[in-house]
Amino acid sequence: MKRVFKLVEKYFFIIILIAVFIAVTIPNSFNWVMEEFMGVNIINILLGIILFGMGTTLKIEHFVNVFKRPKEILIGVSAQYLIMPLIAFAIASLFHLNEALTVGLVLVGTVPGGTASDVITFLAKGDLALSVSLTAVSTVISPILTPVITLILIGNTIAFNPVDMFISIVQIVIIPIALGLFLNYKFPDFCEELKNYLPALSSVVIAIIVAGVIGANKEAIISSSLVIIAVIILQYFTAMALGFIIGYLSGMKRKQMVTIAIELAFQNSGLSTSLAKTHFPALTLATVPGALYSVWQNFAGSILAYLFTKYYNIEE
């Protein structure tokens, strides 16, 4: 059984591609993802499962690293919440995206790093400890920074309540992570065993979220697919390139440069999709950038991880 879960974890991008194929060919198969259960968006419940799993892998030392490696953590988190949102807003303006897609793209830029960055960093032989710490720190401070930065970028043109968004992020992100962290603190051996299964489970859940969004917006995606795909790819590679530049200018070694680049380019796209559905319900297309970004970052990231290990001497 462990081998099956490890295979799913290793080839998670294939799982996502399969889910996308099903969503495109049989759109109604994932309709339930966009519905509610007992008054709560099912997307939020699914995301909570992923973040609970993330919490079970975290330890206090991942937050203590802020004081042990202040320079790298500060640079990584600053890039996450300054550069990535500006990239998203600039690209949305450059392509003159409509209101819904602008909201979706900006949310992709303002949410914290995703757990997939840790997997790709591991595959690329980057600095895994730094990656996990950056993901943990950026996630914990997201209830404050994500609503504030989103408000600054689009608050003048698109109305939403940043306080409600703050509450949502606490409910969707902080509470599940805190529960997972507590479980790891009380039952470390049990959580160590869970590591064999939770990454694969998270991959499947992300694939379900992506399929639900794509299935619900199939026609709109097809009609404007070239623009959306071009925007997503540009956002991803711009972030990756700037991550390398920031790491280089900061005097980091290649191992850390790769990690910063991956961390900057990989976003918690599930959270951006959830926030779009919860706080911009009238803008149905706002959920699309997050879903497509999830597909692309995992697909491209897996290829880049292979290229980094084969052609880029990370140990230098």
Side-chain angles (χ1 to χ4, degrees), residues 262-300:
I262 292 172
E263 193 67 29
L264 184 57
F266 275 75
Q267 297 295 92
N268 191 334
S269 50
L271 178 58
S272 70
T273 300
S274 171
L275 294 176
K277 179 165 177 25
T278 302
H279 298 281
F280 303 92
L283 304 175
T284 54
L285 273 181
T287 59
V288 171
L292 292 182
Y293 198 90
S294 180
V295 176
W296 176 255
Q297 72 179 1
N298 289 302
F299 174 71

mmCIF file of all heavy atoms in Angstrom, residues 262-300:
data_model
loop_
_atom_site.group_PDB
_atom_site.id
_atom_site.type_symbol
_atom_site.label_atom_id
_atom_site.label_comp_id
_atom_site.label_asym_id
_atom_site.label_seq_id
_atom_site.Cartn_x
_atom_site.Cartn_y
_atom_site.Cartn_z
ATOM 1 N N ILE A 262 11.800 28.251 -6.606
ATOM 2 C CA ILE A 262 10.656 27.332 -6.553
ATOM 3 C C ILE A 262 9.593 27.858 -5.595
ATOM 4 O O ILE A 262 8.397 27.853 -5.903
ATOM 5 C CB ILE A 262 11.120 25.918 -6.130
ATOM 6 C CG1 ILE A 262 11.982 25.295 -7.234
ATOM 7 C CG2 ILE A 262 9.924 25.018 -5.810
ATOM 8 C CD1 ILE A 262 12.650 23.983 -6.837
ATOM 9 N N GLU A 263 10.030 28.324 -4.444
ATOM 10 C CA GLU A 263 9.081 28.817 -3.447
ATOM 11 C C GLU A 263 8.296 30.015 -3.962
ATOM 12 O O GLU A 263 7.102 30.162 -3.684
ATOM 13 C CB GLU A 263 9.830 29.191 -2.163
ATOM 14 C CG GLU A 263 8.936 29.408 -0.958
ATOM 15 C CD GLU A 263 8.251 28.141 -0.476
ATOM 16 O OE1 GLU A 263 8.814 27.056 -0.665
ATOM 17 O OE2 GLU A 263 7.139 28.246 0.085
ATOM 18 N N LEU A 264 8.959 30.875 -4.718
ATOM 19 C CA LEU A 264 8.290 32.063 -5.243
ATOM 20 C C LEU A 264 7.283 31.688 -6.332
ATOM 21 O O LEU A 264 6.201 32.266 -6.405
ATOM 22 C CB LEU A 264 9.329 33.044 -5.802
ATOM 23 C CG LEU A 264 8.803 34.394 -6.309
ATOM 24 C CD1 LEU A 264 8.035 35.119 -5.217
ATOM 25 C CD2 LEU A 264 9.962 35.259 -6.797
ATOM 26 N N ALA A 265 7.643 30.720 -7.160
ATOM 27 C CA ALA A 265 6.778 30.360 -8.284
ATOM 28 C C ALA A 265 5.607 29.470 -7.876
ATOM 29 O O ALA A 265 4.568 29.478 -8.534
ATOM 30 C CB ALA A 265 7.602 29.662 -9.367
ATOM 31 N N PHE A 266 5.770 28.701 -6.796
ATOM 32 C CA PHE A 266 4.710 27.787 -6.375
ATOM 33 C C PHE A 266 3.792 28.449 -5.363
ATOM 34 O O PHE A 266 4.243 28.948 -4.333
ATOM 35 C CB PHE A 266 5.316 26.513 -5.776
ATOM 36 C CG PHE A 266 5.658 25.490 -6.806
ATOM 37 C CD1 PHE A 266 6.766 25.650 -7.618
ATOM 38 C CD2 PHE A 266 4.867 24.377 -6.994
ATOM 39 C CE1 PHE A 266 7.090 24.720 -8.583
ATOM 40 C CE2 PHE A 266 5.170 23.427 -7.958
ATOM 41 C CZ PHE A 266 6.283 23.607 -8.759
ATOM 42 N N GLN A 267 2.513 28.441 -5.670
ATOM 43 C CA GLN A 267 1.522 29.113 -4.832
ATOM 44 C C GLN A 267 0.495 28.117 -4.299
ATOM 45 O O GLN A 267 0.291 27.042 -4.888
ATOM 46 C CB GLN A 267 0.807 30.192 -5.648
ATOM 47 C CG GLN A 267 1.709 31.316 -6.145
ATOM 48 C CD GLN A 267 2.301 32.133 -5.008
ATOM 49 O OE1 GLN A 267 3.393 31.830 -4.537
ATOM 50 N NE2 GLN A 267 1.601 33.147 -4.559
ATOM 51 N N ASN A 268 -0.133 28.505 -3.202
ATOM 52 C CA ASN A 268 -1.238 27.696 -2.682
ATOM 53 C C ASN A 268 -2.460 27.999 -3.546
ATOM 54 O O ASN A 268 -3.374 28.721 -3.142
ATOM 55 C CB ASN A 268 -1.501 28.042 -1.213
ATOM 56 C CG ASN A 268 -2.459 27.059 -0.556
ATOM 57 O OD1 ASN A 268 -3.275 26.436 -1.222
ATOM 58 N ND2 ASN A 268 -2.360 26.921 0.744
ATOM 59 N N SER A 269 -2.459 27.439 -4.742
ATOM 60 C CA SER A 269 -3.505 27.745 -5.718
ATOM 61 C C SER A 269 -4.876 27.261 -5.257
ATOM 62 O O SER A 269 -5.900 27.826 -5.638
ATOM 63 C CB SER A 269 -3.146 27.134 -7.073
ATOM 64 O OG SER A 269 -2.795 25.776 -6.930
ATOM 65 N N GLY A 270 -4.885 26.215 -4.437
ATOM 66 C CA GLY A 270 -6.159 25.766 -3.881
ATOM 67 C C GLY A 270 -6.794 26.832 -3.012
ATOM 68 O O GLY A 270 -8.014 27.047 -3.045
ATOM 69 N N LEU A 271 -5.967 27.536 -2.236
ATOM 70 C CA LEU A 271 -6.483 28.613 -1.391
ATOM 71 C C LEU A 271 -6.997 29.762 -2.245
ATOM 72 O O LEU A 271 -8.043 30.353 -1.934
ATOM 73 C CB LEU A 271 -5.384 29.104 -0.442
ATOM 74 C CG LEU A 271 -5.765 30.265 0.479
ATOM 75 C CD1 LEU A 271 -6.961 29.911 1.354
ATOM 76 C CD2 LEU A 271 -4.574 30.680 1.343
ATOM 77 N N SER A 272 -6.283 30.105 -3.312
ATOM 78 C CA SER A 272 -6.745 31.201 -4.172
ATOM 79 C C SER A 272 -8.094 30.865 -4.802
ATOM 80 O O SER A 272 -8.972 31.723 -4.920
ATOM 81 C CB SER A 272 -5.706 31.511 -5.255
ATOM 82 O OG SER A 272 -5.623 30.471 -6.203
ATOM 83 N N THR A 273 -8.264 29.597 -5.179
ATOM 84 C CA THR A 273 -9.544 29.155 -5.742
ATOM 85 C C THR A 273 -10.650 29.233 -4.702
ATOM 86 O O THR A 273 -11.761 29.691 -4.985
ATOM 87 C CB THR A 273 -9.408 27.709 -6.260
ATOM 88 O OG1 THR A 273 -8.405 27.664 -7.271
ATOM 89 C CG2 THR A 273 -10.719 27.205 -6.829
ATOM 90 N N SER A 274 -10.338 28.803 -3.501
ATOM 91 C CA SER A 274 -11.311 28.839 -2.412
ATOM 92 C C SER A 274 -11.731 30.265 -2.078
ATOM 93 O O SER A 274 -12.919 30.554 -1.922
ATOM 94 C CB SER A 274 -10.718 28.165 -1.169
ATOM 95 O OG SER A 274 -11.547 28.356 -0.049
ATOM 96 N N LEU A 275 -10.764 31.163 -1.984
ATOM 97 C CA LEU A 275 -11.069 32.567 -1.671
ATOM 98 C C LEU A 275 -11.875 33.217 -2.788
ATOM 99 O O LEU A 275 -12.775 34.028 -2.530
ATOM 100 C CB LEU A 275 -9.775 33.340 -1.429
ATOM 101 C CG LEU A 275 -8.966 32.942 -0.196
ATOM 102 C CD1 LEU A 275 -7.661 33.732 -0.127
ATOM 103 C CD2 LEU A 275 -9.780 33.151 1.085
ATOM 104 N N ALA A 276 -11.562 32.865 -4.027
ATOM 105 C CA ALA A 276 -12.304 33.426 -5.158
ATOM 106 C C ALA A 276 -13.768 33.007 -5.101
ATOM 107 O O ALA A 276 -14.671 33.834 -5.309
ATOM 108 C CB ALA A 276 -11.672 32.960 -6.469
ATOM 109 N N LYS A 277 -14.009 31.742 -4.801
ATOM 110 C CA LYS A 277 -15.386 31.252 -4.749
ATOM 111 C C LYS A 277 -16.142 31.827 -3.555
ATOM 112 O O LYS A 277 -17.319 32.163 -3.656
ATOM 113 C CB LYS A 277 -15.396 29.715 -4.680
ATOM 114 C CG LYS A 277 -16.825 29.153 -4.606
ATOM 115 C CD LYS A 277 -16.852 27.690 -4.889
ATOM 116 C CE LYS A 277 -18.239 27.072 -4.768
ATOM 117 N NZ LYS A 277 -19.379 27.930 -4.960
ATOM 118 N N THR A 278 -15.436 31.975 -2.425
ATOM 119 C CA THR A 278 -16.091 32.441 -1.202
ATOM 120 C C THR A 278 -16.372 33.929 -1.225
ATOM 121 O O THR A 278 -17.462 34.376 -0.822
ATOM 122 C CB THR A 278 -15.220 32.102 0.020
ATOM 123 O OG1 THR A 278 -15.008 30.687 0.065
ATOM 124 C CG2 THR A 278 -15.890 32.557 1.314
ATOM 125 N N HIS A 279 -15.428 34.725 -1.702
ATOM 126 C CA HIS A 279 -15.539 36.186 -1.566
ATOM 127 C C HIS A 279 -15.886 36.912 -2.864
ATOM 128 O O HIS A 279 -16.182 38.109 -2.827
ATOM 129 C CB HIS A 279 -14.232 36.738 -0.988
ATOM 130 C CG HIS A 279 -13.937 36.212 0.372
ATOM 131 N ND1 HIS A 279 -14.563 36.708 1.508
ATOM 132 C CD2 HIS A 279 -13.135 35.208 0.799
ATOM 133 C CE1 HIS A 279 -14.139 36.042 2.569
ATOM 134 N NE2 HIS A 279 -13.281 35.133 2.165
ATOM 135 N N PHE A 280 -15.866 36.213 -3.978
ATOM 136 C CA PHE A 280 -16.263 36.819 -5.252
ATOM 137 C C PHE A 280 -17.215 35.872 -5.984
ATOM 138 O O PHE A 280 -16.952 35.472 -7.116
ATOM 139 C CB PHE A 280 -15.020 37.114 -6.110
ATOM 140 C CG PHE A 280 -14.012 38.005 -5.442
ATOM 141 C CD1 PHE A 280 -12.962 37.453 -4.703
ATOM 142 C CD2 PHE A 280 -14.108 39.388 -5.526
ATOM 143 C CE1 PHE A 280 -12.036 38.268 -4.075
ATOM 144 C CE2 PHE A 280 -13.177 40.215 -4.905
ATOM 145 C CZ PHE A 280 -12.135 39.655 -4.173
ATOM 146 N N PRO A 281 -18.316 35.490 -5.332
ATOM 147 C CA PRO A 281 -19.218 34.475 -5.905
ATOM 148 C C PRO A 281 -19.840 34.897 -7.241
ATOM 149 O O PRO A 281 -20.179 34.036 -8.057
ATOM 150 C CB PRO A 281 -20.291 34.302 -4.820
ATOM 151 C CG PRO A 281 -20.241 35.575 -4.033
ATOM 152 C CD PRO A 281 -18.806 36.003 -4.042
ATOM 153 N N ALA A 282 -19.994 36.198 -7.467
ATOM 154 C CA ALA A 282 -20.583 36.662 -8.720
ATOM 155 C C ALA A 282 -19.614 36.544 -9.893
ATOM 156 O O ALA A 282 -20.026 36.526 -11.050
ATOM 157 C CB ALA A 282 -21.046 38.116 -8.577
ATOM 158 N N LEU A 283 -18.322 36.469 -9.572
ATOM 159 C CA LEU A 283 -17.294 36.375 -10.615
ATOM 160 C C LEU A 283 -16.846 34.918 -10.725
ATOM 161 O O LEU A 283 -15.799 34.534 -10.209
ATOM 162 C CB LEU A 283 -16.109 37.293 -10.277
ATOM 163 C CG LEU A 283 -16.447 38.774 -10.042
ATOM 164 C CD1 LEU A 283 -15.208 39.537 -9.592
ATOM 165 C CD2 LEU A 283 -17.025 39.396 -11.312
ATOM 166 N N THR A 284 -17.642 34.115 -11.400
ATOM 167 C CA THR A 284 -17.391 32.669 -11.415
ATOM 168 C C THR A 284 -16.035 32.321 -12.039
ATOM 169 O O THR A 284 -15.397 31.355 -11.624
ATOM 170 C CB THR A 284 -18.509 31.934 -12.177
ATOM 171 O OG1 THR A 284 -18.642 32.514 -13.489
ATOM 172 C CG2 THR A 284 -19.830 32.077 -11.440
ATOM 173 N N LEU A 285 -15.597 33.096 -13.013
ATOM 174 C CA LEU A 285 -14.315 32.808 -13.664
ATOM 175 C C LEU A 285 -13.117 33.108 -12.768
ATOM 176 O O LEU A 285 -11.989 32.751 -13.108
ATOM 177 C CB LEU A 285 -14.186 33.607 -14.967
ATOM 178 C CG LEU A 285 -14.759 32.981 -16.236
ATOM 179 C CD1 LEU A 285 -14.524 33.895 -17.432
ATOM 180 C CD2 LEU A 285 -14.174 31.610 -16.500
ATOM 181 N N ALA A 286 -13.358 33.751 -11.638
ATOM 182 C CA ALA A 286 -12.247 34.082 -10.732
ATOM 183 C C ALA A 286 -11.592 32.829 -10.153
ATOM 184 O O ALA A 286 -10.447 32.872 -9.705
ATOM 185 C CB ALA A 286 -12.733 34.985 -9.604
ATOM 186 N N THR A 287 -12.313 31.713 -10.174
ATOM 187 C CA THR A 287 -11.731 30.466 -9.654
ATOM 188 C C THR A 287 -10.802 29.789 -10.666
ATOM 189 O O THR A 287 -10.011 28.920 -10.297
ATOM 190 C CB THR A 287 -12.847 29.461 -9.286
ATOM 191 O OG1 THR A 287 -13.627 29.183 -10.455
ATOM 192 C CG2 THR A 287 -13.747 30.018 -8.197
ATOM 193 N N VAL A 288 -10.884 30.191 -11.913
ATOM 194 C CA VAL A 288 -10.155 29.495 -12.977
ATOM 195 C C VAL A 288 -8.639 29.664 -12.914
ATOM 196 O O VAL A 288 -7.903 28.671 -13.039
ATOM 197 C CB VAL A 288 -10.703 29.919 -14.357
ATOM 198 C CG1 VAL A 288 -9.815 29.390 -15.482
ATOM 199 C CG2 VAL A 288 -12.130 29.409 -14.529
ATOM 200 N N PRO A 289 -8.101 30.894 -12.729
ATOM 201 C CA PRO A 289 -6.638 31.018 -12.692
ATOM 202 C C PRO A 289 -5.975 30.130 -11.645
ATOM 203 O O PRO A 289 -4.923 29.527 -11.918
ATOM 204 C CB PRO A 289 -6.426 32.510 -12.386
ATOM 205 C CG PRO A 289 -7.611 33.176 -12.985
ATOM 206 C CD PRO A 289 -8.741 32.230 -12.716
ATOM 207 N N GLY A 290 -6.569 30.027 -10.478
ATOM 208 C CA GLY A 290 -5.996 29.183 -9.434
ATOM 209 C C GLY A 290 -5.964 27.721 -9.845
ATOM 210 O O GLY A 290 -4.976 27.014 -9.621
ATOM 211 N N ALA A 291 -7.045 27.252 -10.456
ATOM 212 C CA ALA A 291 -7.103 25.850 -10.887
ATOM 213 C C ALA A 291 -6.074 25.568 -11.982
ATOM 214 O O ALA A 291 -5.353 24.570 -11.926
ATOM 215 C CB ALA A 291 -8.508 25.521 -11.384
ATOM 216 N N LEU A 292 -6.000 26.453 -12.966
ATOM 217 C CA LEU A 292 -5.049 26.240 -14.059
ATOM 218 C C LEU A 292 -3.603 26.401 -13.575
ATOM 219 O O LEU A 292 -2.701 25.699 -14.048
ATOM 220 C CB LEU A 292 -5.336 27.222 -15.202
ATOM 221 C CG LEU A 292 -6.650 27.006 -15.947
ATOM 222 C CD1 LEU A 292 -6.789 28.017 -17.077
ATOM 223 C CD2 LEU A 292 -6.732 25.589 -16.510
ATOM 224 N N TYR A 293 -3.403 27.318 -12.637
ATOM 225 C CA TYR A 293 -2.050 27.498 -12.103
ATOM 226 C C TYR A 293 -1.590 26.237 -11.386
ATOM 227 O O TYR A 293 -0.420 25.850 -11.465
ATOM 228 C CB TYR A 293 -2.009 28.689 -11.149
ATOM 229 C CG TYR A 293 -0.603 29.213 -10.905
ATOM 230 C CD1 TYR A 293 -0.065 30.197 -11.721
ATOM 231 C CD2 TYR A 293 0.187 28.707 -9.884
ATOM 232 C CE1 TYR A 293 1.229 30.674 -11.517
ATOM 233 C CE2 TYR A 293 1.476 29.166 -9.677
ATOM 234 C CZ TYR A 293 1.990 30.156 -10.495
ATOM 235 O OH TYR A 293 3.276 30.598 -10.288
ATOM 236 N N SER A 294 -2.506 25.592 -10.695
ATOM 237 C CA SER A 294 -2.166 24.343 -10.001
ATOM 238 C C SER A 294 -1.705 23.284 -10.990
ATOM 239 O O SER A 294 -0.713 22.589 -10.762
ATOM 240 C CB SER A 294 -3.378 23.828 -9.217
ATOM 241 O OG SER A 294 -3.070 22.634 -8.550
ATOM 242 N N VAL A 295 -2.425 23.164 -12.105
ATOM 243 C CA VAL A 295 -2.041 22.190 -13.129
ATOM 244 C C VAL A 295 -0.654 22.513 -13.667
ATOM 245 O O VAL A 295 0.227 21.648 -13.737
ATOM 246 C CB VAL A 295 -3.054 22.186 -14.290
ATOM 247 C CG1 VAL A 295 -2.590 21.238 -15.394
ATOM 248 C CG2 VAL A 295 -4.435 21.779 -13.799
ATOM 249 N N TRP A 296 -0.466 23.785 -14.032
ATOM 250 C CA TRP A 296 0.793 24.164 -14.677
ATOM 251 C C TRP A 296 1.983 24.075 -13.725
ATOM 252 O O TRP A 296 3.045 23.568 -14.103
ATOM 253 C CB TRP A 296 0.697 25.573 -15.258
ATOM 254 C CG TRP A 296 2.007 26.005 -15.844
ATOM 255 C CD1 TRP A 296 2.913 26.887 -15.327
ATOM 256 C CD2 TRP A 296 2.605 25.513 -17.057
ATOM 257 N NE1 TRP A 296 4.017 26.984 -16.129
ATOM 258 C CE2 TRP A 296 3.853 26.152 -17.195
ATOM 259 C CE3 TRP A 296 2.202 24.603 -18.023
ATOM 260 C CZ2 TRP A 296 4.701 25.901 -18.271
ATOM 261 C CZ3 TRP A 296 3.040 24.352 -19.102
ATOM 262 C CH2 TRP A 296 4.274 24.993 -19.214
ATOM 263 N N GLN A 297 1.834 24.567 -12.501
ATOM 264 C CA GLN A 297 2.994 24.586 -11.600
ATOM 265 C C GLN A 297 3.478 23.182 -11.267
ATOM 266 O O GLN A 297 4.683 22.942 -11.141
ATOM 267 C CB GLN A 297 2.682 25.374 -10.324
ATOM 268 C CG GLN A 297 1.728 24.707 -9.356
ATOM 269 C CD GLN A 297 1.504 25.554 -8.099
ATOM 270 O OE1 GLN A 297 2.036 26.637 -7.950
ATOM 271 N NE2 GLN A 297 0.689 25.038 -7.181
ATOM 272 N N ASN A 298 2.562 22.253 -11.165
ATOM 273 C CA ASN A 298 2.965 20.880 -10.863
ATOM 274 C C ASN A 298 3.564 20.183 -12.083
ATOM 275 O O ASN A 298 4.548 19.444 -11.968
ATOM 276 C CB ASN A 298 1.770 20.087 -10.333
ATOM 277 C CG ASN A 298 1.376 20.522 -8.939
ATOM 278 O OD1 ASN A 298 2.172 20.482 -8.017
ATOM 279 N ND2 ASN A 298 0.138 20.965 -8.775
ATOM 280 N N PHE A 299 2.994 20.430 -13.243
ATOM 281 C CA PHE A 299 3.519 19.837 -14.473
ATOM 282 C C PHE A 299 4.900 20.405 -14.803
ATOM 283 O O PHE A 299 5.875 19.671 -14.969
ATOM 284 C CB PHE A 299 2.546 20.110 -15.624
ATOM 285 C CG PHE A 299 3.057 19.666 -16.966
ATOM 286 C CD1 PHE A 299 3.153 18.322 -17.276
ATOM 287 C CD2 PHE A 299 3.445 20.600 -17.916
ATOM 288 C CE1 PHE A 299 3.632 17.910 -18.513
ATOM 289 C CE2 PHE A 299 3.926 20.200 -19.150
ATOM 290 C CZ PHE A 299 4.019 18.849 -19.458
ATOM 291 N N ALA A 300 4.998 21.735 -14.865
ATOM 292 C CA ALA A 300 6.273 22.375 -15.208
ATOM 293 C C ALA A 300 7.312 22.155 -14.113
ATOM 294 O O ALA A 300 8.501 21.964 -14.392
ATOM 295 C CB ALA A 300 6.056 23.874 -15.436
#
